[in-house]
Amino acid sequence: MPLSAAEVDPRSGYCAATRTFHSIRPPLPLPPADLPLSFPAFMFSLLPAALPSRPALVDAATGEAVPFPAFLSRVRALAAALRARLGVSRGDVAFVLAPPGVHVPVLYYALMAVGAVVSPANPALTAGEISGLIALSGPSVAFAVKATAETTSGFCRAVGEAESAQIGSVGRLSWGAQAKIVHPETGVALPPGVPGELWVRGPFVMKGYAGDEDSTSKIMDSEGWLRTGDLCYIDKYGIVFVVDRLKELIKYKGYQVPPAELESLLQTHPDIDEAAVVSYPDDQAGELPVAFIVSSSGSILHEAQIKEFVAKRVVHYKQIHHIFFVNSIPKNAAGKILRKDLAKLTLQHIQSKL
């Protein structure tokens, strides 16, 4: 039932009866339904002929601003490149995995300008969740951007079909970027194919935390290298693969076990909907990998079945030692697993056995 003007506050658009906010903007002059017009072209047609010089986009984190003329120019140039170099055309589905930044609207507008359908994903999602979105959307092209709070986004990108086909990678380093894979304990730089901490350097890296030299020195060295805290490796083709966060690694008898690797494996089991892996303190081993499992509806899973499933597919030190069946995995608003909450549950389990 349509609302009358009297029911909606003209200042806020709020309707007390339904407790709903409604738009108070006037309707946009939509083009005829039979006119072949893309969304970006329509939006740009609403701008004045003399484009304003004020910012069209502003990155709240870095302060980077893109004025309207530059925004339109970037969109048109990228759209042309998408057509010519990648063959993206009307009806193609483009999967975009990227953190917030001024580059994202440019990419979205360029994709829509060539008629592609954008399927966005949150980088905070787990590998299993991302795989599910890819399976659901069925993309013909994918874009992934890795970023940290201390860098502007885009130190590496996947360009072209061959690079985008590398599952689990974030592409090659962008122009001007440098990276090292460093052993977390010895500080020795590692060769291709060997996992270690990713260090990056380039014009996209911050100079330091303002007024906090102590914090800056903990993550940056005197040569401008930023320690990302990411466990990565770079293959022989220069493709960067992110394995996990260093602080989340499980230390088992001197071995390092990435939880994300085990989570991805567990989520390939047909009777597991969700999985999270955390450490469990142990006097002899130091830490044990344990898993929290959300079973599929109607399935009957036992701890021994899951342990056997994992044991057949990993080396001995990556095996799961305990299974906790739960109704849901705690996550934050961005979809990231709240490992501290799970750690509390393991602690409660230990205390209950005392």
Side-chain angles (χ1 to χ4, degrees), residues 62 129 134 173 199 228 230:
T62 65
E129 290 169 331
I134 292 175
L173 297 175
W199 290 21
T228 66
D230 290 322

Side-chain angles (χ1 to χ4, degrees), residues 29-238:
L30 297 175
D34 58 348
L35 182 64
L37 186 67
S38 70
F39 172 77
F42 170 62
M43 294 301 296
F44 292 160
S45 71
L46 302 177
L47 295 173
L51 294 175
S53 59
R54 65 178 181 272
L57 306 169
V58 177
D59 190 322
T62 65
E64 180 184 359
V66 180
F68 277 94
F71 176 50
L72 267 67
S73 176
R74 292 183 187 183
V75 168
R76 288 165 178 162
L78 182 55
L82 290 172
R83 289 192 189 96
R85 297 180 60 183
L86 298 183
V88 180
S89 60
R90 184 179 180 84
D92 285 342
V93 176
F95 186 80
V96 180
L97 182 68
V102 293
H103 62 287
V104 176
V106 174
L107 176 59
Y108 281 12
Y109 268 70
L111 286 167
M112 290 187 288
V114 300
V117 178
V118 178
S119 176
N122 189 335
L125 296 176
T126 65
E129 290 169 331
I130 292 173
S131 297
L133 290 176
I134 292 175
L136 183 65
S137 60
S140 51
V141 64
F143 301 84
V145 179
K146 168 68 180 175
T148 71
E150 291 78 19
T151 70
T152 58
S153 55
F155 80 85
C156 59
R157 288 187 174 90
V159 178
E161 184 176 350
E163 292 182 22
S164 300
Q166 301 292 324
I167 298 175
S169 80
V170 291
R172 289 189 173 96
L173 297 175
S174 298
W175 181 88
Q178 293 179 302
K180 290 196 295 186
I181 301 296
V182 178
H183 192 288
E185 296 175 1
T186 65
V188 175
L190 301 170
V194 181
E197 183 180 14
L198 176 67
W199 290 21
V200 295
R201 184 171 67 178
F204 47 81
V205 176
M206 70 171 188
K207 294 182 179 179
Y209 294 116
D212 193 345
E213 293 184 4
D214 184 55
S215 295
T216 299
S217 64
K218 290 179 180 178
I219 66 166
M220 297 188 73
D221 69 7
S222 59
E223 297 179 345
W225 286 102
L226 170 70
R227 306 177 183 95
T228 66
D230 290 322
L231 181 67
C232 304
Y233 69 91
I234 302 177
D235 73 5
K236 61 182 180 180
Y237 301 106

